[in-house]
Amino acid sequence: MRWAINQALDEELERDPSVCLIGQDIGRAGGTFGLTRGLFDKYGAMRVRDSPISEEGMADLALGAAIAGCRPVLEIMFMDFLTLTMDALVNQAAKTYYLSNGAIAAPMVVRTLAGAGVRVGAHHSQSLESWFTHVPGLKVAYPSTPSDAKGMLKAAIRDDNPVIFVENKSLLGYKGAAPAEGDHVVPLGKAEVKRAGTDVTVVAYGRMVHVVLDAAEQLAKEGIDVEVVDPRTLMPLDTDTILASVAKTSRLAIVHEATGPSGFGAEIAARVADEGLYYLDAPIKRIAGAFYPIPTGEAEDLLFPDVARVVDSVRDLMA
């Protein structure tokens, strides 16, 4: 996935001279995770700008650039540090278009790495996506494959609204096809059925898509046919695709690695309860990360949904 993100940035910098990148160590160093490698040499310091270690200042700089006519892509290294940018994103960027009566847009993307899987502890592993899906004016994208990451990032950069673009750090090394030719753009707000099935719908995003796909293969050996739906964009949410799947299977489980209380699974469950309650033959089941600060090291593995837990939960749902 790492190179899919790099290709998307490269292609958008090439296509549109108003696109610029801002972040810590993204210039000549190519980024802490190598996501901007080669872009400084190709586009120069004016468009691939290193910033001081000040997330508040970086977010304000990106917002100002967006209002002035640029399309900045801001990299906040870890989602945990988005807490430092909240005023610029929540109180300013999200409201710029509305408060100016449509006269001023803030077309900016905030790329950030989220989630666990690499055992780096409480300050570098959180999944805070639901904090931002709660804010009118912000879009939240969360791809799970290289193809989606490339196409959705290009769509996010072209969007006139501020977009929080979440990249799961444990998926950076994930290998998969991402079209290298042509203008590969995946529209925001469109879910995808990653695996068709007839017995139970499981909605998952980010790293959990792959956990659920592995669980589905195991359950298939027991005769349980799982349909896996990846929303890809959490806000706006493609409720129609989820409801169509639940209408077919009559059962729904939601899997995410963010903690359960007030997690995004609650929003999905509420929408299905509101609009598709009579499709259901069983209560909706949520499978989420433990409500606990994330420890460093191997203990991290105990907190998050894994294949065994998903398999057991789906079996219960089918009982």
Side-chain angles (χ1 to χ4, degrees), residues 79-83 114-115 126-133 166 258:
M79 192 172 206
D80 314 73
F81 304 155
L82 281 184
T83 54
Q126 296 176 94
S127 298
L128 305 175
E129 59 272 13
S130 63
W131 291 15
F132 297 93
T133 58
V166 186

Side-chain angles (χ1 to χ4, degrees), residues 198-318:
T198 57
D199 294 329
V200 56
T201 298
V202 181
V203 177
Y205 53 89
R207 179 169 70 101
M208 289 298 111
V209 170
H210 304 281
V211 171
V212 172
L213 287 170
D214 288 344
E217 293 307 307
Q218 187 169 325
L219 288 160
K221 297 173 184 174
E222 303 174 19
I224 300 174
D225 194 13
V226 177
E227 179 147 301
V228 181
V229 178
D230 178 1
R232 303 196 290 191
T233 306
L234 304 185
M235 189 58 64
L237 180 66
D238 182 1
T239 309
D240 289 345
T241 297
I242 295 170
L243 286 170
S245 179
V246 173
K248 180 171 66 172
T249 65
S250 301
R251 291 176 173 81
L252 172 63
I254 304 155
V255 184
H256 57 63
E257 64 177 280
T259 54
S262 301
F264 193 69
E267 174 66 20
I268 297 173
R271 293 200 189 191
V272 172
D274 283 345
E275 303 178 42
L277 180 63
Y278 296 108
Y279 297 147
L280 295 168
D281 289 338
I284 299 169
K285 187 174 286 292
R286 287 191 292 156
I287 308 160
F291 194 59
Y292 197 85
I294 300 169
T296 303
E298 294 181 2
E300 175 197 281
D301 301 347
L302 302 174
L303 269 63
F304 299 102
D306 57 14
V307 171
R309 189 172 159 199
V310 173
V311 166
D312 287 344
S313 297
V314 171
R315 285 177 183 149
D316 289 344
L317 198 55
M318 294 298 296

Side-chain angles (χ1 to χ4, degrees), residues 132-150:
F132 297 93
T133 58
H134 190 65
V135 179
L138 293 181
K139 294 183 177 179
V140 179
Y142 203 147
S144 66
T145 67
S147 179
D148 286 347
K150 180 177 180 179

